[in-house]
Amino acid sequence: MKNKVALRLTEGAVMIALATVLSMVKLADFPYGGSITAASMFPIAVIAYRHGTPFGLFCGLVYGGIQQLLGLNTLSYFTSWQSILAIILLDYIVAFAVIGLAGVFRKASGKPALKMTAGVILACVLRYLCHVISGCTVWAGLSIPDSAALTYSLAYNATYMIPETLITGIAAWYLFSLIDFASPRLKRLSTAKSEALPAKARICYRGSLLAGVIGACYAIIRIFPLLQDDGGNFDFAGIKALEIPSFATVLGICILLVLVLFIAGTLLKNKKTEV
């Protein structure tokens, strides 16, 4: 029993540390708060899936506290204790604690990848709502205009939470398709169908999937930061600033890799069937 508790606490500490490090890897940073990170929510989601919602909420709470310490400068904009308390709760403590709900679908029927992805989406939506409420109440009149504060907050927070959700969801779906995170010791997730494939065919299919994931993440990172102008306003006109040649080249290479590797995997699979 003591070993299980020690293992759980150790995993929780490691994942909180990993989430903190990933939160500092900002793929895009926005002018009035919020950023697109390297799937920084995913480690907390894994803990929630492995050890249950209560422990996941606890780890999310600790993670939110660390994020608050890293973002102490945001409190300097306010003087009243009510506003400071609201920011601490809505933008940090509650917003990151809800990541612990990512494992609520673990006992539901279905594939682990699908259950984890659904849990991640739920957690991201709840975190988004926390930031929206904070934006249209506490931040209204400061970084968000008083008029149409709710609409502005919905749009502003969507520009970083949508890509953050997509990146975290893609990471969850991809990794949970390969690894059994529910087992005491992580191991490769194998099925009779996948094991029946030749090793080279499996490598090609997984390479095709990875190329697709990289291409999707690249498109998200390049496009969404352009949806805000210098004042932090949501603006589709920013897409004009997209460097089409480089964007099309990288995305084209990813798409080509997806097609080539998928076709190669299919040919290798059919070759074994014919034999």
Side-chain angles (χ1 to χ4, degrees):
M1 183 64 181
K2 289 183 178 180
N3 290 337
K4 289 183 178 180
V5 173
L7 176 62
R8 184 174 63 174
L9 291 174
T10 301
E11 286 188 7
V14 170
M15 286 303 188
I16 290 171
L18 178 58
T20 302
V21 171
L22 290 176
S23 71
M24 297 178 182
V25 183
K26 297 183 179 181
L27 307 176
D29 210 358
F30 291 81
Y32 296 124
S35 59
I36 303 173
T37 66
S40 60
M41 297 171 64
F42 182 68
I44 307 300
V46 170
I47 283 296
Y49 188 88
R50 283 178 59 80
H51 298 293
T53 300
F55 189 67
L57 289 171
F58 170 73
C59 290
L61 190 68
V62 174
Y63 177 54
I66 294 173
Q67 290 300 307
Q68 171 61 78
L69 293 175
L70 294 175
L72 279 176
N73 62 311
T74 59
L75 302 181
S76 63
Y77 296 102
F78 302 94
T79 54
S80 68
W81 69 267
Q82 295 96 333
S83 296
I84 293 174
L85 180 61
I87 291 297
I88 292 174
L89 290 176
L90 290 172
D91 278 332
Y92 293 98
I93 302 301
V94 178
F96 289 98
V98 296
I99 305 174
L101 296 173
V104 294
F105 300 117
R106 174 180 174 176
K107 295 184 179 179
S109 60
K111 296 181 178 179
L114 181 60
K115 293 187 290 184
M116 187 70 254
T117 303
V120 163
I121 292 174
L122 172 64
C124 288
V125 169
L126 293 175
R127 178 187 163 188
Y128 168 67
L129 291 177
C130 287
H131 294 313
V132 168
I133 294 171
S134 173
C136 67
T137 55
V138 186
W139 290 97
L142 188 61
S143 62
I144 288 181
D146 285 320
S147 59
L150 177 59
T151 302
Y152 186 98
S153 185
L154 285 167
Y156 179 87
N157 288 291
T159 52
Y160 67 88
M161 278 308 303
I162 289 178
E164 186 77 6
T165 301
L166 291 173
I167 290 174
T168 308
I170 290 172
W173 177 72
Y174 179 72
L175 292 175
F176 269 73
S177 296
L178 300 177
I179 302 172
D180 182 6
F181 284 94
S183 62
R185 292 188 177 183
L186 300 185
K187 59 183 180 179
R188 185 170 65 88
L189 191 63
S190 61
T191 62
K193 184 177 180 180
S194 65
E195 290 298 327
L197 293 173
K200 291 182 179 179
R202 289 201 303 271
I203 292 173
C204 287
Y205 280 136
R206 288 171 182 172
S208 175
L209 181 60
L210 181 59
V213 169
I214 293 173
C217 291
Y218 173 77
I220 291 168
I221 294 166
R222 288 295 303 274
I223 291 175
F224 276 86
L226 299 177
L227 298 180
Q228 289 186 19
D229 60 21
D230 294 335
N233 298 308
F234 188 76
D235 186 7
F236 278 105
I239 294 294
K240 296 178 181 178
L242 182 66
E243 298 177 1
I244 299 298
S246 61
F247 178 78
T249 299
V250 174
L251 198 59
I253 291 173
C254 290
I255 293 173
L256 181 62
L257 285 172
V258 169
L259 295 174
V260 169
L261 290 171
F262 182 81
I263 292 172
T266 303
L267 291 174
L268 290 168
K269 180 183 71 173
N270 293 337
K271 184 178 179 180
K272 180 184 178 181
T273 304
E274 290 174 0
V275 173

